[in-house]
Amino acid sequence: MMKGDVIINRNYFAGVDIGSTATKCVVFDSNGIIAGKTIIPTGTNINKACSDVVSICLGSMNVSLDQVKSIVTTGYGRYIPTYSKIILPEIQAIAKGVKWNDVGKKPIPKLILDIGGHDTKALVVDENGNLMKFVTNERCAAGTGKFVENIALIYGYSLEKMAELSFQSTKECKLESHCGIFIESEISRLLFSGCKTENVFAALFLNMIKRVMSIVFKLDYPTNTLYFTGGVSRNPYVVKLLHNYFEEVVVPEDSQLTCAIGAADHAQYKAN
Amino acid sequence: MVEVNKSNLQSVEEFKQMFKDRRQELLDFSDQGGMIFCYNCMLPKLIVGASGGQVVKLLGMMNIFGYNKSIIDEYLSQGGEEFCTLIKDTFGIGLKKPYPKKMRVTDTATCAALTKLMSMMYMEMPEFGIPFILNIPKRGERELDQKFWYQELHRLKDFCEENTGQKVTNEKLIAGIKQENIKKNLMKELDLLRKGDVIPIKGSECVMVNQQQNWLKFDKYIAQVEKVVKEVRERKQKGISDYAPDAPRVLATDPCFFEPFRGEVEPYRCVKFLEDCGAAVAAEDFCCGVGEHWSNIEEKVNDPDPMATIADYYLNVVVPCPFQTPNTRRLKKCIQAIKELELEGVIYMSTHACKVAAAEARKFERAIEKETGVPTLYIERLGNPDKELIGQLQMRVESFVTMLKDRRKPKNH
């Protein structure tokens, strides 16, 4: 140690989830507690999204990058050159993120559903949070966040408003198409035929859940409890519909940040 | 993505020149009156070989003669894009020139879409004659089916004799069986050399070596495979491995081989993609992997009816194809390979266009898990790696690879 050297306490661990829609950053302190979290739109410049989300997050905590001992990236942009020292596939990140939320509880095997912008992932983890098996949507994004988001954009509603209206639905409408484009034609047909908006939106979410459950069923894992994460888990009407299949639907706090939390947890694990 | 050892085997590299030479070989053979029989799948090639004909897969013909673009969309008013890559890429041979003068299309009626389109196409090309379609029973266990199949093979034999002017004798067939078994034994040895931590040849290279039999002259092909096996044996002894030591050992499988072959010898991209995602592909079962070359044709002393032996082999021993129900032999061979080669996972691919192949995936996955405890990742693909949703596939394969690695560890973090 030379005279004048500054001692930097590198006590922070960051997880960055670079998704198709949003980029999220979670920073843990040395106790593994969330010290900072930020979500920004990914946009077209992934490098920029990644550095922006980290600097915004650290800035909000008044912490410098030097104080971060390790960073783990996950999500579609995980190979981003700036931070690609440790990479974690997002399915593992989700498993770790859910396990982190469970600290202090009795460890049990879990069925997890994560619905993100472009992907629906269903996974089974053992009591230690190890991934046992998983299934994702195949070549089609029906049943993902974007599927609903597109409709929200077209009809000028926010996602929150769509969910709120769906709770007021009084009559069951049917939407059969799984295609994110043709579903628009079906919705228009229903609206033109006099179906109420709330009934149509409820049908849209029902259509989405049917698609999602066909993925979950592939895991062949009977359970009464579902852990639900990803951006769509913030939608209370989707949660309500999932109760038709599960007695208990657990939505962790910061559920849309689960992947980033898992990455931060992994960053801390790798650093120690 | 993981950096996989790029030091290709010299003997594998030599296939490139053999492939280049094949075009002239075929033209010369045809000019001298030889008949080339083109096919897509499951053709008992040794019957054709015994008639003096040469067999080349249509996909190979398309590439050897440099037709890199499918003309299916020009031919069909609509719907061409919905067909699988194998159909697209084999569609249209003969419509563009030059091609060998003496060429016949023979095929086995496994895939109905393939058979239909081939028939439509070639009926418009009288110079090649109506394609010969070998009918294969969709269920093989009944005595009646077996008789039918035996008759069909005789029909093929007659067709070959008629076109080549040469008699298919028992002696030629027995010699063909022997040669076919030599190839199978070599390919099986290549598989077994990949057992253990040292994997001296990449899966993508193994598939490529295997596929060369579909377009190269068979005796030349076997001689080259012998060189490959020799080189791989040496690498094994020296402990040279092509994969990272911690890469999980997987079986790559697809009920139908669909990889487009773009006019040059290169590691097969679907398998290479799995390798790039960190998997050590230690065995393959496409329509021509462990399911095919881990099963020899019975060699009987003074076989009085080698046609019956061949018929029995194709219908009751091999045929690892989803068009048949039940299709248990493929599953059994995969289970055998998983146990014998101590594999840790299975990556099951099927083309988006082929619902027949997809239909078996779940059953296959469950049976594999029950019998071996090994997990399966199912991937639906378009068939052409250039058009895949690489980001999503990469995420899934990498997650699977990481999961397999985690399964080795004591259960902790």
Side-chain angles (χ1 to χ4, degrees):
Chain A
M1 178 71 59
M2 301 288 287
K3 195 179 172 187
D5 277 358
V6 179
I7 302 167
I8 297 169
N9 286 321
R10 301 176 71 202
N11 288 331
Y12 294 96
F13 311 91
V16 185
D17 171 19
I18 306 134
S20 56
T21 308
T23 296
K24 304 123 212 163
C25 178
V26 166
V27 177
F28 278 8
D29 66 15
S30 56
N31 296 317
I33 305 294
I34 296 178
K37 54 190 178 187
T38 301
I39 304 178
I40 62 167
T42 300
T44 53
N45 189 339
I46 297 169
N47 262 308
K48 188 172 180 304
C50 187
S51 33
D52 282 358
V53 82
V54 172
S55 36
I56 294 169
C57 192
L58 294 178
S60 71
M61 297 159 56
N62 210 14
V63 165
S64 73
L65 192 58
D66 293 342
Q67 290 173 268
V68 179
K69 199 167 183 183
S70 69
I71 298 180
V72 167
T73 51
T74 186
Y76 274 107
R78 63 190 175 280
Y79 284 102
I80 203 84
T82 327
Y83 298 115
S84 63
K85 282 179 188 157
I86 312 173
I87 288 150
L88 186 67
E90 59 245 61
I91 294 177
Q92 269 78 11
I94 294 164
K96 284 176 191 293
V98 171
K99 190 194 164 207
W100 178 86
N101 260 294
D102 246 18
V103 170
K105 295 177 192 161
K106 188 187 170 197
I108 50 164
K110 294 181 187 69
L111 173 67
I112 303 167
L113 171 67
D114 182 280
I115 310 181
H118 288 177
D119 289 319
T120 299
K121 310 173 192 86
L123 46 146
V124 174
V125 295
D126 69 8
E127 62 277 15
N128 296 309
N130 295 310
L131 183 64
M132 301 306 289
K133 49 185 173 178
F134 67 92
V135 192
T136 71
N137 54 318
E138 285 290 339
R139 316 199 53 76
C140 173
T144 64
K146 272 278 178 270
F147 181 69
V148 180
E149 221 172 272
N150 282 346
I151 303 298
L153 270 174
I154 290 162
Y155 292 99
Y157 286 88
S158 69
L159 290 168
E160 292 76 17
K161 189 68 186 167
M162 279 176 80
E164 192 187 314
L165 280 172
S166 298
F167 275 106
Q168 294 163 23
S169 85
T170 49
K171 192 182 161 195
E172 192 178 316
C173 293
K174 273 193 178 163
L175 284 169
E176 298 294 347
S177 178
H178 287 313
C179 172
I181 304 300
F182 285 127
I183 198 99
E184 290 173 36
S185 326
E186 271 207 77
I187 289 175
S188 299
R189 179 183 55 79
L190 285 176
L191 291 171
F192 292 151
S193 68
C195 283
K196 288 186 176 170
T197 312
E198 55 266 32
N199 295 337
V200 174
F201 286 167
L204 178 74
F205 288 123
L206 188 63
N207 176 302
M208 176 194 192
I209 284 302
K210 279 184 183 166
R211 184 81 175 171
V212 165
M213 286 310 295
S214 73
I215 294 168
V216 175
F217 287 143
K218 283 183 188 164
L219 285 173
D220 206 7
Y221 187 79
T223 175
N224 293 328
T225 306
L226 176 78
Y227 289 77
F228 187 25
T229 65
V232 178
S233 65
R234 311 309 295 166
N235 186 316
Y237 193 71
V238 172
V239 175
K240 176 193 176 269
L241 291 175
L242 285 169
H243 273 106
N244 294 336
Y245 299 89
F246 301 95
E247 278 176 25
E248 191 184 15
V249 178
V250 180
V251 180
E253 200 184 330
D254 292 324
S255 59
Q256 77 277 35
L257 292 172
T258 305
C259 223
I261 291 170
D265 184 48
H266 193 60
Q268 189 169 26
Y269 168 71
K270 281 282 179 188
N272 292 330
Chain B
M1 301 286 256
V2 174
E3 193 62 41
V4 178
N5 186 354
K6 287 191 176 117
S7 61
N8 286 345
L9 293 146
Q10 180 57 36
S11 51
V12 173
E13 285 288 302
E14 285 166 10
F15 274 116
K16 288 183 182 174
Q17 191 56 45
M18 292 173 78
F19 180 77
K20 278 184 192 158
D21 296 344
R22 188 59 174 149
R23 178 190 162 105
Q24 197 53 48
E25 265 179 32
L26 286 170
L27 289 170
D28 292 347
F29 177 70
S30 175
D31 287 346
Q32 289 155 17
M35 180 61 80
I36 298 159
F37 295 81
C38 301
Y39 75 108
N40 271 306
C41 69
M42 258 288 300
L43 187 78
K45 289 180 277 187
L46 54 93
I47 296 177
V48 182
S51 77
Q54 286 196 25
V55 198
V56 182
K57 211 164 189 168
L58 271 168
L59 197 60
M61 286 299 277
M62 290 290 278
N63 286 285
I64 287 165
F65 289 91
Y67 313 141
N68 285 328
K69 189 175 169 292
S70 171
I71 59 160
I72 196 164
D73 293 326
E74 296 167 27
Y75 185 74
L76 298 177
S77 55
Q78 59 177 18
E81 70 279 5
E82 291 296 323
F83 286 98
C84 85
T85 310
L86 183 66
I87 296 179
K88 280 189 205 176
D89 283 14
T90 54
F91 195 76
I93 175 73
L95 285 189
K96 294 187 179 180
K97 294 175 181 178
Y99 49 80
K101 287 173 192 158
K102 297 189 78 177
M103 190 177 89
R104 293 301 304 264
V105 175
T106 50
D107 209 355
T108 311
T110 48
C111 168
L114 197 57
T115 307
K116 174 74 181 172
L117 280 166
M118 283 298 148
S119 302
M120 280 168 66
M121 185 99 242
Y122 291 98
M123 275 174 184
E124 295 195 3
M125 297 157 56
E127 66 266 41
F128 294 123
I130 294 171
F132 177 90
I133 305 291
L134 185 69
N135 295 296
I136 183 162
K138 299 287 187 261
R139 300 179 61 144
E141 75 272 29
R142 295 182 310 176
E143 198 181 327
L144 199 65
D145 292 330
Q146 310 223 358
K147 276 185 188 161
F148 170 75
W149 174 235
Y150 181 71
Q151 284 167 7
E152 279 296 288
L153 288 198
H154 270 278
R155 201 166 62 82
L156 172 68
K157 176 174 155 284
D158 295 344
F159 176 79
C160 294
E161 287 177 341
E162 193 184 304
N163 277 282
T164 61
Q166 291 186 42
K167 206 87 188 133
V168 173
T169 63
N170 282 2
E171 290 71 31
K172 286 181 190 169
L173 288 173
I174 290 167
I177 290 172
K178 198 166 269 183
Q179 203 180 30
E180 185 70 25
N181 282 340
I182 290 171
K183 176 211 81 182
K184 285 171 184 292
N185 292 339
L186 286 167
M187 289 309 297
K188 185 169 181 182
E189 188 179 345
L190 264 191
D191 287 340
L192 294 176
L193 281 165
R194 292 190 280 167
K195 188 176 175 176
D197 292 338
V198 175
I199 306 178
I201 178 168
K202 289 191 277 282
S204 51
E205 286 178 318
C206 252
V207 179
M208 198 269 280
V209 168
N210 197 9
Q211 286 291 302
Q212 299 308 306
Q213 66 179 298
N214 293 320
W215 30 82
L216 297 183
K217 197 163 178 291
F218 202 51
D219 50 358
K220 278 191 177 179
Y221 168 73
I222 289 181
Q224 192 61 27
V225 178
E226 273 174 359
K227 284 175 80 174
V228 174
V229 173
K230 187 169 174 280
E231 197 179 350
V232 173
R233 269 192 221 124
E234 287 166 7
R235 280 169 67 102
K236 182 85 176 177
Q237 277 169 1
K238 288 177 189 165
I240 301 170
S241 190
D242 267 334
Y243 296 110
D246 66 336
R249 302 161 53 79
V250 303
L251 167 78
T253 181
D254 188 297
C256 172
F257 196 84
F258 56 83
E259 176 89 31
F261 182 68
R262 299 288 180 204
E264 58 178 298
V265 179
E266 60 174 27
Y268 276 76
R269 284 175 292 175
C270 63
V271 179
K272 185 157 187 317
F273 174 74
L274 306 181
E275 293 170 339
D276 290 344
C277 291
V281 180
E284 310 79 35
D285 180 57
F286 299 104
C287 64
C288 52
V290 293
E292 189 247 331
H293 51 245
W294 285 30
S295 310
N296 280 17
I297 309 175
E298 196 181 352
E299 288 186 48
K300 298 173 188 165
V301 182
N302 301 322
D303 192 344
D305 190 359
M307 285 293 285
T309 308
I310 294 164
D312 177 61
Y313 167 76
Y314 273 91
L315 200 60
N316 298 321
V317 182
V318 62
V319 199
C321 181
F323 83 92
Q324 264 214 335
T325 308
N327 178 24
T328 49
R329 285 188 288 277
R330 170 168 175 253
L331 180 63
K332 279 181 190 163
K333 284 289 168 203
C334 286
I335 289 169
Q336 187 190 343
I338 291 165
K339 288 180 177 171
E340 212 159 306
L341 300 174
E342 294 160 359
L343 305 177
E344 299 169 273
V346 177
I347 300 179
Y348 186 118
M349 298 173 275
S350 83
T351 35
H352 176 61
C354 186
K355 300 305 174 201
V356 179
E360 287 191 341
R362 295 284 294 145
K363 194 172 176 239
F364 182 93
E365 183 182 339
R366 284 179 181 159
I368 291 282
E369 192 170 6
K370 189 178 166 213
E371 292 290 327
T372 65
V374 157
T376 298
L377 173 69
Y378 173 73
I379 293 175
E380 189 185 88
R381 309 178 61 242
L382 283 176
N384 185 345
D386 299 337
K387 295 178 181 172
E388 298 295 349
L389 292 166
I390 290 295
Q392 206 235 25
L393 282 184
Q394 192 183 334
M395 177 267 286
R396 292 162 67 190
V397 178
E398 286 183 359
S399 291
F400 187 68
V401 166
T402 309
M403 184 180 92
L404 294 180
K405 284 182 187 173
D406 287 347
R407 281 164 69 98
R408 294 174 183 157
K409 293 178 197 164
K411 292 188 173 181
N412 49 27
H413 189 83

